[in-house]
Amino acid sequence: MSIVIGLTGGIGSGKTTVANLFADNYGIDIIDADIVAREVVEPNTVGLNAIIKKFGADILLEDGTLNRAKLREAIFSQPELKQWLNELLHPLIREKMLHDIKLSKSPYCLLVVPLMVENNLQTLTNRLLVVDVDEQTQIERTQQRDNVSIEQIKNILASQATRQQRLDAADDVITNFGDSPALTLQIAQLHRQYLKMDHDL
Ligand code: ATP
């Protein structure tokens, strides 16, 4: 099994950008919690079958996949349903991430979890790498990428761990204020460090 490097950061900090550079430049396997969260509710999964049982087949789109907008709407004002869903999905997501980690063949793998610190999922990792930027940069880049209002982004920022909480939990930090060469250089240094770690174990 590979060494697991947890990768986290706030909204728009550059997690996906960083993960893609590790994958493209060094062939590192990426396990992305957002992708896993979709996989565990694909058709014919334990996850989707339980949701159908709870909400009825109306929760599906015509093609048999989950109608996410409808599910979001159904749990929006019902905390007990939201809790039920979290209690169903969180163990399934965790189990699938562990399964994918076991399958990884690269010298180390990256487990990308946006809410790693908030959900204390760094327990699944050997080391935690945090992508760090200031809030203003997060807001500007997210706005450019998603074309959403500043208020919406600020609400998401307020619901996430603070920059300091993430930095306190970090073993390694990538500062992502700079340009693309600056980022590539930091990733090259971390890659060397993580390869060495693998040999030391
Ligand atoms: P989220 O958690 O919101 O999905 P993320 O942490 O995965 O975001 P990215 O999608 O990688 O963040 O980056 C956010 C935006 O900022 C993207 O449009 C990306 O292209 C851009 N970006 C990332 N790093 C830089 C950089 N160093 N300079 C300029 N733009 C950047």
Side-chain angles (χ1 to χ4, degrees):
M1 192 166 104
S2 308
I3 287 180
V4 184
I5 308 293
L7 176 64
T8 195
I11 179 173
S13 57
K15 296 176 293 295
T16 307
T17 307
V18 166
N20 287 344
L21 284 167
F22 273 100
D24 295 346
N25 294 355
Y26 304 109
I28 298 305
D29 291 332
I30 309 297
I31 296 131
D32 184 323
D34 285 345
I35 295 175
V36 171
R38 288 196 288 273
E39 288 171 347
V40 299
V41 291
E42 277 172 0
N44 300 315
T45 53
V46 173
L48 188 57
N49 289 343
I51 290 171
I52 296 169
K53 206 166 163 208
K54 186 87 176 172
F55 293 86
D58 282 356
I59 205 73
L60 300 178
L61 293 166
E62 271 185 17
D63 65 0
T65 60
L66 180 62
N67 186 338
R68 287 164 192 287
K70 195 161 185 180
L71 183 62
R72 256 198 311 275
E73 206 178 293
I75 64 169
F76 180 68
S77 53
Q78 305 222 43
E80 68 288 353
L81 279 182
K82 189 174 178 184
Q83 192 184 340
W84 176 87
L85 192 65
N86 283 339
E87 281 170 8
L88 169 74
L89 296 182
H90 285 181
L92 292 173
I93 294 169
R94 195 186 165 92
E95 205 178 291
K96 177 73 167 63
M97 290 194 304
L98 285 171
H99 174 260
D100 290 352
I101 288 168
K102 283 204 184 103
L103 293 181
S104 169
K105 294 271 186 288
S106 55
Y108 59 93
C109 63
L110 286 184
L111 179 66
V112 186
V113 184
L115 299 181
M116 179 97 70
V117 172
E118 292 82 343
N119 291 329
N120 210 23
L121 284 168
Q122 60 268 47
T123 51
L124 297 178
T125 70
N126 298 99
R127 242 180 131 72
L128 183 63
L129 171 58
V130 166
V131 187
D132 181 51
V133 287
D134 60 296
E135 280 200 359
Q136 193 50 39
T137 307
Q138 284 182 276
I139 293 170
E140 282 166 15
R141 288 183 184 162
T142 305
Q143 220 188 358
Q144 249 178 14
R145 186 193 56 188
D146 298 342
N147 196 22
V148 286
S149 72
I150 295 189
E151 281 63 40
Q152 272 174 287
I153 301 170
K154 283 191 172 164
N155 282 341
I156 295 173
L157 274 168
S159 73
Q160 297 188 338
T162 63
R163 186 176 174 193
Q164 195 55 49
Q165 282 170 331
R166 261 186 231 103
L167 289 173
D168 287 345
D171 295 299
D172 306 304
V173 177
I174 288 183
T175 51
N176 191 21
F177 312 108
D179 54 13
S180 172
L183 194 57
T184 307
L185 188 65
Q186 292 179 78
I187 289 170
Q189 281 164 352
L190 283 164
H191 176 66
R192 280 197 295 276
Q193 178 190 329
Y194 294 151
L195 284 182
K196 191 164 178 305
M197 208 173 120
D198 196 27
H199 290 144
D200 288 346
L201 286 181

